[in-house]
Coordinates of all heavy atoms in Angstrom, one line a residue:
M1 N -8.8 6.6 8.4 CA -7.5 7.1 8.9 C -6.6 7.2 7.7 O -6.4 6.3 6.9 CB -7.0 6.2 9.9 CG -5.7 6.6 10.6 SD -5.9 8.2 11.5 CE -6.9 7.6 12.9
Q2 N -5.9 8.4 7.6 CA -5.0 8.6 6.5 C -3.6 9.1 7.1 O -3.6 9.8 8.1 CB -5.5 9.7 5.6 CG -6.5 9.2 4.6 CD -6.4 9.8 3.2 OE1 -5.7 10.9 3.1 NE2 -6.9 9.2 2.2
V3 N -2.5 8.6 6.5 CA -1.2 9.1 6.9 C -0.5 9.6 5.7 O -0.8 9.3 4.5 CB -0.4 8.0 7.6 CG1 -1.0 7.6 8.9 CG2 -0.2 6.8 6.7
E4 N 0.5 10.4 5.9 CA 1.3 10.9 4.8 C 2.3 9.9 4.4 O 2.6 8.9 5.1 CB 2.1 12.2 5.3 CG 1.3 13.3 5.9 CD 0.4 13.9 4.8 OE1 0.8 14.1 3.7 OE2 -0.8 14.3 5.1
S5 N 2.8 10.0 3.1 CA 3.6 9.0 2.6 C 5.0 8.9 3.2 O 5.7 7.9 3.1 CB 3.8 9.2 1.1 OG 4.4 10.5 0.8
D6 N 5.4 9.9 3.9 CA 6.7 9.9 4.6 C 6.5 9.7 6.1 O 7.4 9.8 6.9 CB 7.5 11.1 4.3 CG 6.8 12.4 4.7 OD1 5.6 12.3 5.1 OD2 7.4 13.5 4.6
Q7 N 5.3 9.4 6.5 CA 5.0 9.3 8.0 C 5.4 7.9 8.5 O 5.0 6.9 7.8 CB 3.5 9.6 8.2 CG 3.2 9.7 9.7 CD 1.7 10.2 9.8 OE1 1.2 10.9 9.0 NE2 1.1 9.9 10.9
T8 N 6.1 7.8 9.6 CA 6.4 6.5 10.1 C 5.8 6.3 11.5 O 5.9 5.2 12.1 CB 8.0 6.3 10.2 OG1 8.5 7.4 11.0 CG2 8.6 6.3 8.8
K9 N 5.2 7.3 12.0 CA 4.6 7.2 13.4 C 3.1 7.0 13.3 O 2.4 7.7 12.5 CB 4.9 8.5 14.1 CG 4.7 8.4 15.6 CD 5.4 9.5 16.3 CE 4.5 10.2 17.3 NZ 5.1 11.4 17.8
C10 N 2.7 6.0 14.0 CA 1.2 5.7 14.0 C 0.4 6.7 14.7 O 0.7 7.1 15.8 CB 1.0 4.3 14.7 SG -0.7 3.8 14.8
P11 N -0.6 7.2 14.0 CA -1.5 8.3 14.6 C -2.4 7.7 15.6 O -3.0 8.5 16.4 CB -2.3 8.8 13.4 CG -2.3 7.7 12.4 CD -1.0 6.9 12.6
I12 N -2.5 6.4 15.7 CA -3.4 5.8 16.7 C -2.7 5.5 18.0 O -3.1 5.9 19.1 CB -4.0 4.5 16.2 CG1 -4.9 4.9 14.9 CG2 -4.9 3.8 17.2 CD1 -5.2 3.7 14.0
C13 N -1.5 4.8 18.0 CA -0.9 4.4 19.2 C 0.5 5.1 19.4 O 1.2 4.9 20.3 CB -0.7 2.9 19.2 SG 0.5 2.3 18.0
N14 N 0.9 6.0 18.4 CA 2.1 6.8 18.5 C 3.4 5.9 18.4 O 4.5 6.4 18.7 CB 2.1 7.6 19.7 CG 1.5 9.0 19.5 OD1 1.5 9.4 18.3 ND2 1.0 9.6 20.5
T15 N 3.3 4.7 18.0 CA 4.5 3.8 17.8 C 5.1 4.3 16.5 O 4.5 4.5 15.5 CB 4.1 2.4 17.7 OG1 3.5 2.0 18.9 CG2 5.3 1.5 17.5
K16 N 6.5 4.4 16.5 CA 7.2 4.7 15.3 C 7.4 3.4 14.6 O 8.6 2.9 14.5 CB 8.5 5.4 15.6 CG 8.8 6.5 14.6 CD 10.0 7.3 14.9 CE 10.3 8.1 13.7 NZ 11.7 8.5 13.7
G17 N 6.4 2.8 14.1 CA 6.6 1.5 13.4 C 5.6 1.3 12.3 O 5.1 0.2 12.1
L18 N 5.4 2.3 11.5 CA 4.5 2.2 10.4 C 5.2 1.5 9.2 O 6.3 2.0 8.8 CB 3.9 3.5 9.9 CG 2.7 4.1 10.6 CD1 2.2 5.3 9.9 CD2 1.6 3.1 10.8
Q19 N 4.6 0.5 8.7 CA 5.2 -0.1 7.5 C 4.3 0.3 6.3 O 3.1 0.1 6.3 CB 5.2 -1.6 7.6 CG 6.4 -2.2 8.4 CD 6.5 -3.7 8.2 OE1 5.5 -4.4 8.1 NE2 7.7 -4.1 8.0
H20 N 4.9 0.8 5.2 CA 4.2 1.1 4.0 C 4.3 0.0 3.0 O 5.4 -0.6 2.9 CB 4.7 2.4 3.5 CG 4.5 3.6 4.3 ND1 4.0 4.8 3.9 CD2 4.8 3.8 5.7 CE1 3.9 5.6 4.9 NE2 4.4 5.1 6.0
F21 N 3.2 -0.2 2.3 CA 3.3 -1.2 1.3 C 2.3 -0.9 0.2 O 1.3 -0.2 0.4 CB 3.0 -2.6 1.9 CG 1.7 -2.7 2.7 CD1 0.5 -2.9 2.2 CD2 1.8 -2.6 4.1 CE1 -0.7 -2.9 3.0 CE2 0.7 -2.6 4.9 CZ -0.6 -2.8 4.3
P22 N 2.6 -1.2 -1.1 CA 1.7 -0.9 -2.2 C 0.5 -1.8 -2.2 O 0.5 -3.0 -1.8 CB 2.6 -1.1 -3.4 CG 3.7 -2.0 -3.0 CD 3.9 -1.9 -1.5
I23 N -0.6 -1.3 -2.7 CA -1.8 -2.0 -3.0 C -1.7 -2.4 -4.5 O -1.6 -1.6 -5.3 CB -3.1 -1.2 -2.7 CG1 -3.1 -0.7 -1.3 CG2 -4.3 -2.0 -3.0 CD1 -3.2 -1.7 -0.2
L24 N -1.8 -3.7 -4.7 CA -1.7 -4.2 -6.1 C -3.0 -4.6 -6.7 O -3.9 -5.1 -5.9 CB -0.7 -5.4 -6.1 CG 0.7 -5.2 -5.6 CD1 1.5 -6.4 -5.7 CD2 1.4 -4.1 -6.4
H25 N -3.2 -4.4 -8.0 CA -4.4 -4.8 -8.7 C -4.0 -5.8 -9.8 O -3.2 -5.4 -10.6 CB -5.0 -3.5 -9.3 CG -6.2 -3.9 -10.2 ND1 -6.5 -3.1 -11.3 CD2 -7.1 -4.9 -10.2 CE1 -7.5 -3.6 -12.0 NE2 -7.9 -4.7 -11.3
H26 N -4.4 -7.0 -9.6 CA -4.2 -8.0 -10.6 C -5.2 -8.0 -11.7 O -6.4 -8.3 -11.4 CB -4.1 -9.4 -10.0 CG -3.4 -10.4 -10.9 ND1 -3.8 -11.8 -10.8 CD2 -2.4 -10.3 -11.8 CE1 -3.0 -12.4 -11.7 NE2 -2.2 -11.5 -12.3
M27 N -4.9 -7.4 -12.9 CA -5.9 -7.2 -13.9 C -6.6 -8.4 -14.4 O -7.7 -8.4 -14.9 CB -5.3 -6.3 -15.0 CG -4.9 -5.0 -14.5 SD -4.1 -4.1 -15.9 CE -2.9 -3.1 -15.0
I28 N -5.9 -9.5 -14.4 CA -6.4 -10.7 -15.0 C -7.6 -11.2 -14.2 O -8.6 -11.7 -14.8 CB -5.3 -11.8 -15.0 CG1 -4.2 -11.4 -15.9 CG2 -5.8 -13.2 -15.4 CD1 -2.9 -12.2 -15.9
C29 N -7.6 -11.2 -12.9 CA -8.7 -11.7 -12.1 C -9.4 -10.6 -11.3 O -10.3 -10.8 -10.5 CB -8.2 -12.8 -11.2 SG -7.2 -12.2 -9.9
A30 N -8.9 -9.3 -11.4 CA -9.4 -8.2 -10.7 C -9.2 -8.2 -9.2 O -9.9 -7.5 -8.5 CB -10.9 -8.0 -11.0
Y31 N -8.3 -9.0 -8.7 CA -8.0 -9.0 -7.3 C -7.3 -7.7 -6.9 O -6.3 -7.3 -7.6 CB -7.2 -10.2 -6.9 CG -6.9 -10.3 -5.5 CD1 -7.8 -10.8 -4.5 CD2 -5.7 -9.8 -5.0 CE1 -7.5 -10.8 -3.2 CE2 -5.4 -9.9 -3.6 CZ -6.3 -10.4 -2.7 OH -6.0 -10.4 -1.4
V32 N -7.7 -7.1 -5.8 CA -7.0 -6.0 -5.3 C -6.6 -6.3 -3.9 O -7.5 -6.6 -3.1 CB -7.8 -4.7 -5.4 CG1 -7.1 -3.5 -4.7 CG2 -8.2 -4.3 -6.8
G33 N -5.3 -6.1 -3.6 CA -4.9 -6.4 -2.2 C -3.5 -5.9 -1.9 O -2.8 -5.5 -2.8
P34 N -3.2 -5.9 -0.7 CA -1.8 -5.4 -0.3 C -0.7 -6.3 -0.8 O -1.0 -7.5 -1.0 CB -1.8 -5.4 1.2 CG -2.9 -6.3 1.6 CD -3.9 -6.3 0.5
K35 N 0.4 -5.8 -1.0 CA 1.5 -6.6 -1.6 C 1.8 -7.8 -0.9 O 2.2 -8.9 -1.5 CB 2.8 -5.7 -1.8 CG 3.9 -6.3 -2.6 CD 5.1 -5.5 -2.6 CE 6.3 -6.2 -3.1 NZ 7.6 -5.6 -2.9
Y36 N 1.7 -7.8 0.5 CA 2.1 -9.0 1.2 C 1.1 -10.1 1.0 O 1.4 -11.3 1.3 CB 2.2 -8.7 2.7 CG 1.0 -8.1 3.4 CD1 -0.1 -8.8 3.7 CD2 1.0 -6.7 3.8 CE1 -1.2 -8.3 4.3 CE2 -0.1 -6.2 4.4 CZ -1.2 -7.0 4.7 OH -2.3 -6.4 5.3
D37 N -0.1 -9.8 0.4 CA -1.0 -10.9 0.1 C -0.5 -11.7 -1.1 O -0.9 -12.9 -1.3 CB -2.3 -10.4 -0.3 CG -3.3 -10.3 0.9 OD1 -2.8 -10.6 2.0 OD2 -4.5 -9.9 0.7
F38 N 0.4 -11.1 -1.9 CA 0.9 -11.7 -3.1 C 2.2 -12.5 -2.8 O 2.8 -13.0 -3.8 CB 1.2 -10.7 -4.2 CG -0.1 -10.1 -4.7 CD1 -0.8 -9.2 -4.1 CD2 -0.5 -10.5 -6.0 CE1 -2.0 -8.6 -4.6 CE2 -1.7 -10.0 -6.6 CZ -2.4 -9.0 -5.8
G39 N 2.6 -12.7 -1.6 CA 3.8 -13.4 -1.3 C 4.9 -12.4 -0.8 O 4.9 -11.3 -1.2
L40 N 5.8 -12.9 -0.1 CA 6.8 -12.1 0.6 C 8.1 -11.9 -0.2 O 8.9 -11.1 0.1 CB 7.1 -12.6 2.0 CG 5.9 -12.6 2.9 CD1 6.2 -13.3 4.2 CD2 5.4 -11.2 3.2
S41 N 8.3 -12.7 -1.2 CA 9.5 -12.7 -2.0 C 9.4 -11.5 -2.9 O 8.4 -11.2 -3.5 CB 9.7 -13.9 -2.8 OG 10.6 -13.7 -3.8
D42 N 10.6 -10.8 -3.1 CA 10.6 -9.6 -4.0 C 10.6 -10.0 -5.5 O 10.2 -9.3 -6.4 CB 11.8 -8.8 -3.7 CG 11.4 -7.7 -2.7 OD1 10.3 -7.6 -2.4 OD2 12.4 -7.1 -2.2
S43 N 11.1 -11.2 -5.8 CA 11.2 -11.6 -7.2 C 10.1 -12.5 -7.7 O 9.9 -12.6 -8.9 CB 12.6 -12.4 -7.3 OG 12.6 -13.4 -6.4
A44 N 9.3 -13.1 -6.8 CA 8.3 -14.0 -7.3 C 7.0 -13.7 -6.5 O 7.0 -14.0 -5.3 CB 8.7 -15.4 -7.2
Y45 N 6.0 -13.2 -7.1 CA 4.7 -13.1 -6.5 C 3.8 -14.1 -7.1 O 4.0 -14.6 -8.2 CB 4.0 -11.7 -6.8 CG 4.8 -10.5 -6.6 CD1 5.3 -9.8 -7.7 CD2 5.0 -10.0 -5.3 CE1 6.1 -8.7 -7.5 CE2 5.8 -8.9 -5.1 CZ 6.3 -8.2 -6.2 OH 7.0 -7.0 -6.1
S46 N 2.8 -14.5 -6.3 CA 1.7 -15.2 -6.9 C 0.4 -14.6 -6.4 O 0.3 -14.2 -5.2 CB 1.8 -16.7 -6.6 OG 1.7 -17.0 -5.3
C47 N -0.6 -14.6 -7.2 CA -1.9 -14.0 -6.9 C -2.7 -14.9 -5.9 O -2.8 -16.1 -6.2 CB -2.7 -13.7 -8.1 SG -4.3 -13.0 -7.8
P48 N -3.1 -14.4 -4.8 CA -3.9 -15.2 -3.8 C -5.2 -15.7 -4.3 O -5.8 -16.6 -3.8 CB -4.0 -14.3 -2.6 CG -3.9 -13.0 -3.1 CD -3.0 -13.0 -4.3
K49 N -5.7 -15.0 -5.3 CA -7.1 -15.3 -5.8 C -7.0 -16.3 -7.0 O -7.7 -17.4 -6.9 CB -7.8 -14.1 -6.3 CG -9.2 -14.3 -6.8 CD -9.9 -13.0 -7.2 CE -11.3 -13.3 -7.8 NZ -11.9 -12.1 -8.3
C50 N -6.2 -16.1 -8.0 CA -6.1 -16.9 -9.2 C -4.9 -17.8 -9.2 O -4.8 -18.7 -10.1 CB -6.3 -16.1 -10.4 SG -4.8 -15.1 -10.8
D51 N -4.0 -17.6 -8.2 CA -2.8 -18.5 -8.1 C -1.8 -18.4 -9.2 O -0.9 -19.2 -9.4 CB -3.3 -19.9 -7.9 CG -2.5 -20.6 -6.8 OD1 -2.0 -19.8 -5.9 OD2 -2.3 -21.8 -6.9
R52 N -1.9 -17.3 -10.1 CA -1.0 -17.2 -11.2 C 0.3 -16.5 -10.6 O 0.3 -15.7 -9.7 CB -1.5 -16.3 -12.3 CG -2.5 -16.9 -13.2 CD -2.9 -16.0 -14.3 NE -3.8 -16.6 -15.3 CZ -5.1 -16.6 -15.1 NH1 -5.7 -16.1 -14.1 NH2 -5.9 -17.2 -16.0
Q53 N 1.4 -16.9 -11.3 CA 2.7 -16.3 -10.9 C 2.7 -14.8 -11.5 O 2.2 -14.6 -12.6 CB 3.9 -17.1 -11.5 CG 4.1 -18.4 -10.9 CD 4.8 -18.3 -9.6 OE1 5.8 -17.6 -9.5 NE2 4.3 -19.0 -8.6
I54 N 3.3 -13.9 -10.8 CA 3.4 -12.5 -11.2 C 4.8 -12.1 -11.2 O 5.5 -12.2 -10.1 CB 2.5 -11.6 -10.3 CG1 1.1 -12.0 -10.4 CG2 2.7 -10.2 -10.8 CD1 0.2 -11.4 -9.3
A55 N 5.4 -11.6 -12.3 CA 6.7 -11.1 -12.3 C 6.8 -9.8 -11.6 O 5.7 -9.1 -11.5 CB 7.2 -11.0 -13.7
S56 N 7.9 -9.3 -11.2 CA 8.0 -8.1 -10.4 C 7.6 -6.9 -11.2 O 7.2 -5.9 -10.7 CB 9.4 -7.9 -9.8 OG 10.4 -8.0 -10.9
N57 N 7.8 -7.0 -12.5 CA 7.4 -5.8 -13.4 C 6.3 -6.3 -14.3 O 6.2 -5.8 -15.5 CB 8.6 -5.2 -14.1 CG 9.3 -6.3 -15.0 OD1 9.0 -7.5 -14.9 ND2 10.2 -5.9 -15.8
D58 N 5.4 -7.1 -13.9 CA 4.3 -7.7 -14.7 C 3.3 -6.6 -15.1 O 2.9 -5.9 -14.2 CB 3.6 -8.8 -13.9 CG 2.9 -9.7 -14.8 OD1 2.2 -9.3 -15.8 OD2 2.9 -10.9 -14.6
A59 N 3.1 -6.5 -16.4 CA 2.1 -5.5 -16.9 C 0.7 -5.8 -16.4 O -0.2 -4.9 -16.4 CB 2.2 -5.4 -18.4
A60 N 0.4 -7.0 -16.1 CA -0.9 -7.3 -15.6 C -1.2 -7.0 -14.2 O -2.3 -7.2 -13.7 CB -1.2 -8.8 -15.9
C61 N -0.2 -6.5 -13.5 CA -0.3 -6.2 -12.1 C 0.1 -4.7 -11.9 O 1.3 -4.4 -12.1 CB 0.6 -7.1 -11.3 SG 0.1 -7.2 -9.6
E62 N -0.8 -3.9 -11.5 CA -0.5 -2.5 -11.3 C -0.7 -2.1 -9.9 O -1.5 -2.6 -9.1 CB -1.4 -1.6 -12.2 CG -2.9 -1.7 -11.9 CD -3.7 -0.7 -12.6 OE1 -3.2 0.1 -13.3 OE2 -4.9 -0.8 -12.4
I63 N 0.1 -1.0 -9.5 CA 0.0 -0.5 -8.2 C -1.1 0.6 -8.2 O -1.1 1.5 -9.0 CB 1.3 0.1 -7.7 CG1 2.3 -1.0 -7.6 CG2 1.1 0.8 -6.4 CD1 3.7 -0.5 -7.3
V64 N -2.2 0.4 -7.3 CA -3.3 1.3 -7.4 C -3.3 2.2 -6.1 O -4.2 3.1 -6.1 CB -4.6 0.5 -7.5 CG1 -4.8 -0.1 -8.8 CG2 -4.8 -0.5 -6.4
G65 N -2.5 2.0 -5.2 CA -2.5 2.8 -4.0 C -1.4 2.4 -3.0 O -0.7 1.5 -3.3
L66 N -1.4 3.1 -1.9 CA -0.4 2.8 -0.9 C -1.2 2.6 0.4 O -2.2 3.3 0.7 CB 0.6 3.9 -0.7 CG 1.9 3.9 -1.5 CD1 2.7 5.1 -1.3 CD2 2.7 2.6 -1.2
S67 N -0.7 1.7 1.2 CA -1.4 1.5 2.5 C -0.3 1.4 3.5 O 0.9 1.2 3.2 CB -2.2 0.2 2.4 OG -3.1 0.1 3.5
A68 N -0.6 1.6 4.8 CA 0.3 1.5 5.8 C -0.2 0.6 7.0 O -1.4 0.6 7.2 CB 0.7 2.8 6.4
R69 N 0.7 -0.1 7.6 CA 0.2 -1.0 8.7 C 1.1 -0.7 9.9 O 2.4 -0.6 9.7 CB 0.3 -2.5 8.3 CG -0.3 -3.4 9.4 CD -0.5 -4.8 8.9 NE 0.8 -5.3 8.4 CZ 1.0 -6.6 8.0 NH1 0.0 -7.4 8.2 NH2 2.1 -7.0 7.6
C70 N 0.5 -0.6 11.1 CA 1.3 -0.3 12.3 C 1.8 -1.6 12.9 O 1.0 -2.5 13.1 CB 0.5 0.5 13.2 SG 1.3 0.7 14.8
L71 N 3.1 -1.6 13.2 CA 3.6 -2.8 13.9 C 3.2 -2.9 15.3 O 3.3 -3.9 16.0 CB 5.2 -2.8 13.8 CG 5.7 -2.9 12.4 CD1 7.2 -2.8 12.4 CD2 5.3 -4.2 11.7
G72 N 2.9 -1.7 15.9 CA 2.5 -1.6 17.3 C 1.1 -2.1 17.6 O 0.9 -3.0 18.4
C73 N 0.1 -1.5 16.9 CA -1.3 -1.9 17.2 C -2.0 -2.7 16.1 O -3.1 -3.1 16.3 CB -2.1 -0.6 17.5 SG -2.2 0.5 16.1
G74 N -1.3 -2.8 15.0 CA -1.9 -3.7 13.9 C -2.9 -2.9 13.0 O -3.5 -3.5 12.2
S75 N -3.1 -1.6 13.2 CA -4.0 -0.9 12.4 C -3.5 -0.7 11.0 O -2.3 -0.6 10.8 CB -4.3 0.5 13.0 OG -4.8 0.4 14.3
E76 N -4.5 -0.7 10.1 CA -4.1 -0.4 8.7 C -4.7 0.9 8.3 O -5.8 1.2 8.7 CB -4.6 -1.5 7.8 CG -3.9 -2.8 8.0 CD -4.0 -3.8 6.9 OE1 -4.5 -3.4 5.8 OE2 -3.6 -5.0 7.1
M77 N -4.0 1.7 7.5 CA -4.5 3.0 7.1 C -4.1 3.3 5.7 O -3.2 2.7 5.2 CB -4.1 4.1 8.1 CG -2.6 4.1 8.5 SD -2.4 4.5 10.2 CE -2.1 2.9 10.9
V78 N -4.8 4.2 5.1 CA -4.6 4.7 3.7 C -3.4 5.7 3.8 O -3.4 6.5 4.6 CB -5.8 5.3 3.1 CG1 -5.5 5.8 1.7 CG2 -6.9 4.3 3.1
V79 N -2.5 5.6 2.8 CA -1.4 6.5 2.7 C -1.8 7.5 1.6 O -2.1 7.1 0.5 CB -0.1 5.8 2.4 CG1 1.0 6.9 2.2 CG2 0.3 4.9 3.5
T80 N -1.7 8.8 1.9 CA -1.9 9.8 0.9 C -0.8 9.8 -0.1 O 0.4 9.9 0.3 CB -2.0 11.2 1.6 OG1 -2.9 11.2 2.6 CG2 -2.4 12.3 0.6
P81 N -1.1 9.6 -1.4 CA 0.0 9.5 -2.4 C 0.8 10.9 -2.4 O 0.1 11.9 -2.3 CB -0.7 9.3 -3.7 CG -2.1 8.9 -3.3 CD -2.4 9.5 -2.0
P82 N 2.1 10.8 -2.6 CA 2.9 12.0 -2.7 C 2.4 12.8 -3.9 O 2.1 12.3 -5.0 CB 4.3 11.5 -2.9 CG 4.3 10.0 -2.8 CD 2.9 9.6 -2.8
G83 N 2.3 14.1 -3.7 CA 1.9 15.0 -4.8 C 0.4 15.2 -4.9 O -0.1 16.0 -5.6
R84 N -0.3 14.3 -4.2 CA -1.8 14.5 -4.3 C -2.3 14.8 -2.9 O -3.5 14.6 -2.6 CB -2.4 13.2 -4.7 CG -2.8 13.3 -6.2 CD -3.9 12.3 -6.6 NE -3.3 10.9 -6.7 CZ -4.1 9.8 -6.7 NH1 -5.4 10.0 -6.5 NH2 -3.6 8.6 -6.8
Q85 N -1.5 15.4 -2.0 CA -1.9 15.7 -0.7 C -2.7 17.0 -0.8 O -2.5 17.9 -1.5 CB -0.7 16.0 0.2 CG 0.2 14.8 0.4 CD 1.5 15.1 1.0 OE1 1.8 16.2 1.4 NE2 2.4 14.1 1.0
V86 N -3.7 17.0 0.1 CA -4.6 18.2 0.2 C -3.7 19.2 0.9 O -3.3 19.0 2.0 CB -5.8 17.8 1.0 CG1 -6.7 19.1 1.1 CG2 -6.6 16.7 0.4
S87 N -3.6 20.3 0.3 CA -2.7 21.4 0.9 C -3.5 22.0 2.1 O -4.7 22.3 2.0 CB -2.4 22.5 -0.1 OG -3.6 22.9 -0.8
K88 N -2.7 22.1 3.2 CA -3.4 22.5 4.4 C -3.6 24.1 4.4 O -4.5 24.6 5.0 CB -2.6 22.1 5.6 CG -2.7 20.6 5.9 CD -1.6 20.1 6.7 CE -1.6 18.6 6.6 NZ -0.3 18.0 6.2
E89 N -2.7 24.7 3.8 CA -2.8 26.2 3.7 C -2.4 26.6 2.2 O -1.6 26.0 1.6 CB -2.0 26.9 4.7 CG -0.5 26.5 4.7 CD 0.2 27.2 5.8 OE1 0.5 28.3 5.8 OE2 0.5 26.4 6.8
R90 N -3.1 27.6 1.8 CA -3.0 28.0 0.4 C -1.9 29.1 0.4 O -2.0 30.1 1.1 CB -4.3 28.6 -0.1 CG -4.6 28.1 -1.5 CD -6.0 28.5 -1.8 NE -7.0 27.4 -1.5 CZ -7.6 26.8 -2.5 NH1 -7.5 27.3 -3.8 NH2 -8.4 25.8 -2.3
S91 N -0.8 28.9 -0.3 CA 0.1 30.0 -0.5 C -0.1 30.7 -1.8 O -0.1 30.1 -2.8 CB 1.6 29.4 -0.4 OG 1.7 28.4 -1.3
E92 N -0.2 32.0 -1.7 CA -0.4 32.8 -2.9 C 0.7 33.7 -3.2 O 1.5 34.1 -2.4 CB -1.7 33.6 -2.7 CG -2.8 32.8 -2.0 CD -4.1 32.9 -2.8 OE1 -4.3 33.8 -3.6 OE2 -5.0 32.1 -2.5
Ligands
ZN1 ZN1 -5.0 -12.9 -9.9
ZN2 ZN1 -0.4 1.9 16.0

């Protein structure tokens, strides 16, 4: 299941409650997971795998994608990154 980056409506249950969150890659231990796995505070993350503290602009932690979770049905889906959307029709 894929949603657009500006989509807030769940394609599964039609609830307007999609939450978008970045997928983070911790290069030190190679953990990849959604941002909420790293802690809910905006200023202090810690890696759930290696337990290291991660600063908000830490170079060892990169955003590798976007994901979305529905508050209504709990489904998770991939968010198409802006600018990399497959064009539905070709304009010439
Ligand atoms: Zn880690
Ligand atoms: Zn839903």
Side-chain angles (χ1 to χ4, degrees):
M1 185 63 69
Q2 282 219 339
V3 294
E4 306 291 323
S5 57
D6 58 354
Q7 189 169 335
T8 55
K9 198 163 126 186
C10 176
I12 297 163
C13 70
N14 271 335
T15 300
K16 216 176 170 202
L18 277 191
Q19 277 195 322
H20 294 232
F21 49 85
I23 304 293
L24 301 179
H25 171 212
H26 197 210
M27 296 179 211
I28 294 170
C29 70
Y31 181 82
V32 176
K35 189 185 168 192
Y36 57 75
D37 268 6
F38 288 78
L40 297 173
S41 163
D42 269 348
S43 53
Y45 310 104
S46 63
C47 176
K49 183 178 175 188
C50 68
D51 225 28
R52 283 187 177 85
Q53 292 282 312
I54 300 167
S56 56
N57 56 352
D58 202 315
C61 200
E62 62 170 358
I63 295 173
V64 293
L66 270 177
S67 196
R69 186 169 57 169
C70 174
L71 295 176
C73 64
S75 299
E76 294 198 8
M77 48 216 103
V78 176
V79 177
T80 309
R84 263 203 280 163
Q85 296 169 9
V86 182
S87 51
K88 285 157 194 126
E89 53 187 283
R90 228 170 258 247
S91 54
E92 317 230 343

